[in-house]
Amino acid sequence: MNANQRIGTLVAHLNPPNLHMEESSVMSRSNCRAKGGWPGFKVAILGATGGIGQPLAMLMKMNPLVSVLHLYDVVNTPGVTADISHMDTGVVVQLHIMV
C-alpha cells in the first residue's frame, strides 16, 4: 500500500461519509459528537506505539474534550491500546494497523 492509499484510509476512518460536519460550523465540544459517545473531539495519533505516541495517547485519553481516540501505527502492538483502554475515562480507543 503506497502513501496515498494510507492517507485515503486514514481520511475514511476519520470522516465517514454520513458524519461530515458543515464547513461553516464552529468546532466546539457541544457540536462534535462521536458515534455513541460523549460530546467531544475525535483524535488520531499516527505512530501511536512510538516513544512520543504512547505518552501523547495517554494525555489524550485523560483529556475531557476527547471522546474517541484512534491510534494508528505500522507495528502490530495491541498491548499499547489495551493499556490505554484500561484508564478509567469515557474515551473510546481504537487501534488501526497500517500495513
Side-chain angles (χ1 to χ4, degrees):
M1 182 180 284
N2 66 27
N4 288 334
Q5 290 172 326
R6 287 182 181 181
I7 291 171
T9 302
L10 290 173
V11 170
H13 279 292
L14 298 175
N15 295 315
N18 59 348
L19 296 177
H20 282 293
M21 293 176 50
E22 296 176 12
E23 291 182 18
S24 63
S25 68
V26 175
M27 290 187 70
S28 68
R29 186 170 194 227
S30 62
N31 67 2
C32 292
R33 183 174 295 274
K35 182 178 178 183
W38 297 98
F41 293 100
K42 291 182 182 180
V43 176
I45 298 177
L46 310 178
T49 61
I52 295 173
Q54 287 182 19
L56 179 60
M58 183 186 72
L59 289 171
M60 290 296 103
K61 174 74 170 167
M62 295 184 323
N63 189 327
L65 297 176
V66 175
S67 59
V68 178
L69 182 59
H70 295 274
L71 304 178
Y72 291 89
D73 212 319
V74 295
V75 180
N76 185 6
T77 53
V80 172
T81 306
D83 291 344
I84 300 292
S85 295
H86 289 151
M87 295 173 65
D88 190 19
T89 67
V91 178
V92 177
V93 179
Q94 299 176 350
L95 174 64
H96 304 280
I97 300 165
M98 307 304 291
V99 289

